Amino acid sequence: MNASAAAAILPCWSCKGPVCGRALFCSVCGAVQGPNAADHFARLGMTPAYDIDIDALERQYFGFQRRLHPDRFAGRSGKEKMLSQQQATSLNEAYETLKDPLKRAVYLLGLLGRAVDLSACGTISDPELLMEQMEKREAIAEADTVEAITKLSASADADVIACQCHISAAFNAGDLDAAAELATRLKYLTKLAEDARARKGRLMRGA
Amino acid sequence: MLLQLHEPGETPAPHDDEGGLAVGIDLGTTNSVVAVARDGKAEVLRGEDGRGLVPSVVHYGDDGSVVVGEKAREAILESPDHVISSVKRLMGRGLEDVKSLAGTLPYSVEVAPEGGMVRLKVAGRVLTPVEVSADILRAIKARAEAALAKGVDKAVVTVPAYFDDAARTATRDAARLAGLEVLRLVNEPTAAALAYGLDNAAEGLYAVYDLGGGTFDVSLLRMEKGVFQVKATGGDAALGGDDIDHAIAEHFLAERAERLGEQTITAGEAKQALMVARIAKECLSRSEGGEWMIEVDGKPSRHFLDRATLERLALPFVGRTMSICRGVVADAGVELSDVRGVVLVGGSTRMPLVRAKVAEFFGRQPLADINPDEVVAVGAALQAEALTAGSDTLLLDVTPLSLGIETMGGIVEKVIPRNQPIPVAMAQEFTTYQDGQTAMAIHVVQGEREMVDQCRSLARFTLRGIPPMTAGAARIRVTFTVDADGLLTVSARETATGVEQNVAVKPSYGLSEDEMAQMLRESLEHARDDMARRVLTEAVVEARRSVLAVKAALRADSDLLSGTEQQAIDAALAEVERAIAGTDRDAVNAAVERLEAATKGFAEKRMDRGIRQALAGVSVETLGSALDGGEE
Ligand SMILES: Nc1ncnc2c1ncn2[C@@H]1O[C@H](COP(=O)(O)OP(=O)(O)OP(=O)(O)O)[C@@H](O)[C@H]1O
Ligand SMILES: [Mg+2]
Ligand SMILES: [Zn+2]
């Protein structure tokens, strides 16, 4: 325990003294440090869980950005500007991942050792999901009034929310296989909801 | 968790001796404005005539003179071939891009033999849009220096949120040519929101509708706890009041041709018609109708125009802005009712038709208390002060357009989608498609379309030295990094062998480093001084940081030093401070190096003690935290 604490002590690039590997700033000279290897939850000071308080996440993100964003380092040395840019980049990546219900599910599954690769599978292997998706996609493509598409879009949004609730329940029950399967489902539902929204936009613009 | 962290990295007050003032500049298509802020109050810097707007028009004389502003604009009629206007539309653009503008530009445009950014032919000279913009910025800088009786060498410069990487880079280059350090490129809508103090207003979603001379922009900003976030942006880099002027001018010219029984329209007539059209349009924002005259070669024609006719001519353009608004709202996935306020920006929003349409669309009266053509500069000035003096407000911007790479068959693979908060870094893996392939061409593009030829080409480079493998075996990781100004860097790496290439993307339509250096040499009589000063300033900033760091370390841990060790460090510190007071960069760097050597043993002792304490269970959080940071 203490040995690992010692290993987490690194020299500050600026004053060369000891600084905790997790620190954002050197407590002696105040220099900004580079981003550490923390996971996205730790980076934003959140407990790793699927159910997160989005307001709290946002507050944390803004709070960190306010201190680390490159704008806070205008007129500072080149190295400080570079490190702050890296810090801000890491914060953006963490925030973008955690605030999105699908990305968060996939990321958390990875952290828990149950990696899923949603980008790889272009085809749907589950025949039931496939049928459902094809039918809904067709309905969206064929909707040609604002009322019809508004209804479809609302129902697609509702499906997305329901699926997120199921994912949450699966994580809470510790059933990672179910969570992984639902994450795949969420990916397609989200895509459908986006398509529906886009079509709604086009119909409303009269195109 | 947030509270546990130390706060020693606060931005220090700037050193007054580090150079001139920082101003905010709205470099517009039609007009440019400069403002300065002190203690949170911004003031537009006016010329002798009391006007804040400097027409973004440059007159190049046969004698080599350069005149910017109202005088240059007046000269359009007498010597149109010596005047350049609306140059912002050409920033970072190639000939292909400006074809659509052909005929709308009152000067001839060509490409350089080696391709790239367009060149302008004027008064026997060939200039890039960057150089013309630099001339405008020089005039703005001179105006600010005269008004403030002080040197000005730093600026926040605004750009349309929709500006792509090429145009942003070109803007930055122009400022550099004019001897201005760009503290930050800020999106115009964000600047406008700052000017309205929306950073202190009720939290929520705000829309900024900006219809200027040459560009239209609409943005949705979210303001929360002092943080501004651009949620979504949209616009058209070639839509604005100029288009309305053209429509009116065509209307006038058709009337004139009919009345005078002439078929051909001369360039002189076109120019005068445009100028009269603008005057008529601006006048009709206040009155209901009027009569104007075009007179060329002694042939006068009179033209009556009322507001209803104007609005009929303007409606297609205003309509286009509204459908872009609709798209942006849909894109952001928000409801119109979420929008808590609408800010009007740009001279063209003085038109009653525009105000009515905006109010109708958003279902509320827009904010328009600040002069719509000065509001952007006011916000830029506030941000310039915030950056140099420190502030609580933070601007978080997003990528305006998707960035991607060309893959097989001319299809674009997106690497960074649009509306991503910046700074951002994202990577994508690609592979070879031929056996034994040792090089891979990388073509970086920007835009939303799927096919390469419908996107904008930003840069091309070739990754070489890939070890020959079977097709599909190599793993080439391409990383895109976009900084807080929205400027892109691309690096590519073959992951098996680590062959790596880094390119700062100098856009296809940009200037090369060589061209830039050449222009700096030619254009600034004191270019060398300028460069030397810049390098010295950098060395001094770095040296100051070293001194503060060592002093902080001494305050925390000087008990580790013997009397002689301490004296050696003190002497090295004094030497750096002496060097900083001088102007010799090499002396500064040498003194910093000696300081580093003199503190090497001290640093080792500090690390040793830190590790020993950690092993003994002293909480790492409390290590060295007896003092609150290193600033004096
Ligand atoms: N009273 C008015 N009524 C109508 N239009 C006006 C009025 N005053 C100015 N304009 C128009 O506003 C435009 C210039 O606006 P502005 O100065 O905001 O543009 P800009 O910032 O230079 O351009 P851009 O934002 O496109 O870069 C011109 O087309 C001008 O004719
Ligand atoms: Mg403008
Ligand atoms: Zn330090």
Side-chain angles (χ1 to χ4, degrees), chain B residues 132-208:
Chain B
V132 179
S133 296
D135 282 326
I136 298 170
L137 285 167
R138 268 187 213 107
I140 297 269
K141 179 173 186 266
R143 161 178 287 209
E145 287 175 339
L148 296 166
K150 235 186 181 168
V152 168
D153 59 4
K154 295 188 197 71
V156 164
V157 180
T158 57
V159 289
Y162 218 55
F163 249 24
D164 64 13
D165 184 74
R168 282 169 200 261
T169 307
T171 305
R172 212 176 230 290
D173 287 347
R176 205 168 125 205
L177 275 182
L180 286 167
E181 180 195 340
V182 177
L183 290 171
R184 175 87 130 87
L185 293 176
V186 170
N187 289 327
E188 289 162 10
T190 313
L194 279 180
Y196 274 102
L198 294 186
D199 44 329
N200 299 313
E203 300 193 341
L205 200 63
Y206 292 85
V208 180

Side-chain angles (χ1 to χ4, degrees), chain B residues 101-417:
Chain B
L101 300 175
T104 72
L105 296 170
Y107 37 80
S108 75
V109 168
E110 60 176 43
V111 256
E114 62 277 19
M117 201 190 294
V118 296
R119 301 288 195 270
L120 309 176
K121 266 193 172 161
V122 62
R125 291 187 232 188
V126 178
L127 297 167
T128 63
V130 171
E131 289 168 288
V132 179
S133 296
D135 282 326
I136 298 170
L137 285 167
R138 268 187 213 107
I140 297 269
K141 179 173 186 266
R143 161 178 287 209
E145 287 175 339
L148 296 166
K150 235 186 181 168
V152 168
D153 59 4
K154 295 188 197 71
V156 164
V157 180
T158 57
V159 289
Y162 218 55
F163 249 24
D164 64 13
D165 184 74
R168 282 169 200 261
T169 307
T171 305
R172 212 176 230 290
D173 287 347
R176 205 168 125 205
L177 275 182
L180 286 167
E181 180 195 340
V182 177
L183 290 171
R184 175 87 130 87
L185 293 176
V186 170
N187 289 327
E188 289 162 10
T190 313
L194 279 180
Y196 274 102
L198 294 186
D199 44 329
N200 299 313
E203 300 193 341
L205 200 63
Y206 292 85
V208 180
Y209 175 103
D210 178 353
L211 189 60
T215 48
F216 170 66
D217 254 304
V218 56
S219 308
L220 290 174
L221 306 180
R222 209 185 44 169
M223 203 291 299
E224 194 150 11
K225 301 164 193 87
V227 178
F228 257 125
Q229 212 175 5
V230 180
K231 289 299 281 181
T233 76
D236 187 333
L239 175 60
D242 292 356
D243 296 300
I244 299 173
D245 297 351
H246 279 280
I248 302 169
E250 269 168 33
H251 173 79
F252 284 169
L253 287 171
E255 284 183 346
R256 180 176 164 91
E258 199 179 352
R259 272 172 222 163
L260 301 181
E262 281 173 358
Q263 292 302 318
T264 51
I265 293 162
T266 65
E269 281 177 316
K271 263 176 209 216
Q272 200 181 100
L274 265 181
M275 185 167 282
V276 172
R278 184 177 54 79
I279 293 168
K281 172 191 74 177
E282 292 177 8
C283 210
L284 291 181
S285 287
R286 270 166 285 119
S287 54
E288 291 296 326
E291 200 174 23
W292 286 273
M293 192 168 83
I294 295 173
E295 182 170 357
V296 177
D297 300 332
K299 285 184 272 185
S301 57
R302 305 179 82 77
H303 305 272
F304 180 77
L305 190 69
D306 62 9
R307 194 181 282 168
T309 311
L310 167 69
E311 296 192 340
R312 185 172 52 74
L313 292 168
L315 192 61
F317 303 105
V318 180
R320 253 162 73 196
T321 69
M322 300 326 300
S323 65
I324 295 172
C325 285
R326 215 166 287 134
V328 167
V329 169
D331 240 24
V334 298
E335 297 297 324
L336 268 178
S337 54
D338 297 341
V339 177
R340 300 188 67 136
V342 185
V343 174
L344 289 185
V345 183
S348 300
T349 63
R350 289 212 163 94
M351 294 183 71
L353 174 70
V354 172
R355 293 199 176 189
K357 289 286 173 201
V358 172
E360 181 188 310
F361 179 77
F362 287 101
R364 62 173 63 242
Q365 281 307 316
L367 293 168
D369 316 335
I370 307 180
N371 263 336
D373 26 31
E374 294 179 357
V375 63
V376 169
V378 165
L382 292 170
Q383 183 61 9
E385 194 193 23
L387 288 179
T388 46
S391 109
D392 258 0
T393 303
L394 186 61
L395 304 183
L396 295 178
D397 281 338
V398 296
T399 48
L401 298 160
S402 301
L403 292 160
I405 278 186
E406 170 170 0
T407 60
M408 286 271 279
I411 294 173
V412 178
E413 170 87 25
K414 283 186 185 157
V415 179
I416 301 186

Side-chain angles (χ1 to χ4, degrees), chain A residues 5 29 78 117 163:
Chain A
C29 75
D117 186 0
C163 185

Side-chain angles (χ1 to χ4, degrees), chain A residues 26-100:
Chain A
C26 170
S27 55
V28 170
C29 75
V32 65
Q33 307 292 307
N36 54 38
D39 66 68
H40 294 336
F41 288 101
R43 184 169 317 285
L44 291 171
M46 304 291 292
T47 320
Y50 186 71
D51 294 326
I52 56 173
D53 177 348
I54 291 289
D55 285 342
L57 177 76
E58 214 153 68
R59 268 197 309 278
Q60 292 288 80
Y61 166 72
F62 289 156
F64 283 115
Q65 277 294 22
R66 203 173 279 133
R67 295 172 348 136
L68 292 167
H69 192 274
D71 278 1
R72 291 288 179 266
F73 297 83
R76 296 291 202 99
S77 69
K79 170 106 184 181
E80 284 165 292
K81 284 185 188 157
M82 184 192 80
L83 291 173
S84 89
Q85 175 167 327
Q86 291 174 358
Q87 286 279 13
T89 302
S90 308
L91 288 173
N92 279 333
E93 189 188 345
Y95 176 62
E96 286 297 304
T97 307
L98 297 190
K99 80 166 186 204
D100 180 81

